[in-house]
Amino acid sequence: MALCTYLGDIQRSMEKLSENQLSEYFNKLLQVSLWGNKCDLSISAGQDNSQKTSPIDSLNSLQSFILVDDSNMVWLTLNSSRRLEGTGKKTADRVDIVLDNAGFELVTDLVLADFLVSSGLARQIHFHGKCFPWFVSDVTAKDFQWTIRQTMAANHKWMCKSGFRWQSYLKEGVWCYHDHPFWTQPHEFCDMAAEAPDLYATLQEADLVLFKGDLNYRKLTGDRDWGHTVDFCAALRGFEPAPLCSLRTLKANIQVGLQPGQAEKLTSQDPSWMTNGNYAVIQFHIPKLE
């Protein structure tokens, strides 16, 4: 309710927003999508792990828990991808979101996707889900459709409006949902070009690819025991279909791209920092131009 109301408020004033305000809202909704990843049944062993407070109100208090924050680079890349359309609006062609959990996290992803389209930042959103849950609560086509139907049926003005708008995006092809067997195979993502060239080619068409969650991060980095200061780009081992960003709360013993001494300081303050879901990263990589 809080998120759909917040989105409705933004959309009512969309025409009057300056670039700075647009950037501010983008960063806020990117962080909401990031922290939505805390709601994960695989970390709570099936216990209730739902969102209890307004995620917007929590953002300031969570800021210090973001260990790497490349959100400005994500914004600059998205902004530089915007091209002039016939309407006179500048818009990026396409953003892809590789989904993680159903439930509240998926709603945060849908709200971000709606903002990207309604603000003119992107013309089209492609969502990538799984054929079946790899862990406990991964998004499947059924979850995706059910979530939109539930939002449409909500006894709440802004939720209901959002749900109907999302359904129309799907009907008009503004939003597309895909699944591919590769997402539920044991390969790391640097194998994608060889193992699933069709999927790699699909991602190459995007102006930006957002990878949600911990499992996607582990597959991006090959689940290797990298040193914490190893560059994110090095850990990707050549996987760079398009500019990409990982939005991840930490729930596994792997993290790259930290500053020297940062991991040691965290370990002394909170020994379970890599697995307790309290910390997060927004890590970005852009392919080098040939």
Side-chain angles (χ1 to χ4, degrees), residues 115-131:
F115 171 76
L116 291 173
V117 169
S118 57
S119 65
L121 285 170
R123 192 177 62 80
Q124 201 177 43
I125 309 290
H126 285 226
F127 296 93
H128 300 269
K130 295 187 176 70
C131 306

Side-chain angles (χ1 to χ4, degrees), residues 67-108:
L67 305 179
V68 180
D69 186 357
D70 292 337
S71 49
N72 282 341
M73 288 164 68
V74 181
W75 165 257
L76 289 171
T77 300
L78 189 59
N79 221 5
S80 65
S81 303
R82 292 163 76 186
R83 296 173 278 278
L84 205 59
E85 286 202 314
T87 57
K89 279 179 88 172
K90 284 176 80 179
T91 182
D93 190 50
R94 182 174 131 190
V95 173
D96 284 29
I97 304 177
V98 182
L99 300 166
D100 191 23
N101 294 292
F104 178 74
E105 180 176 359
L106 177 56
V107 176
T108 67

Side-chain angles (χ1 to χ4, degrees), residues 141-178:
K142 186 178 177 184
D143 297 315
F144 191 84
Q145 291 149 9
W146 180 88
T147 303
I148 291 175
R149 285 200 306 273
Q150 290 295 106
T151 311
M152 290 167 72
N155 186 22
H156 181 271
K157 177 184 172 184
W158 294 110
M159 275 185 77
C160 187
K161 275 192 166 190
S162 296
F164 274 91
R165 193 167 53 251
W166 300 344
Q167 188 68 16
S168 74
Y169 286 156
L170 285 170
K171 269 189 185 157
E172 293 159 14
V174 174
W175 283 6
C176 306
Y177 177 90
H178 313 267

Side-chain angles (χ1 to χ4, degrees), residues 24-25 43 48 178 212:
E24 193 180 315
Y25 284 131
I43 198 173
D48 178 15
H178 313 267
K212 292 299 310 289

Side-chain angles (χ1 to χ4, degrees), residues 26 30 33 74 95-99 112 116 208-212 216 243-247:
F26 170 77
L30 195 72
S33 177
V74 181
V95 173
D96 284 29
I97 304 177
V98 182
L99 300 166
L112 174 61
L116 291 173
L208 173 68
V209 185
L210 300 176
F211 285 89
K212 292 299 310 289
N216 282 323
L244 64 86
C245 174
S246 171
L247 300 175

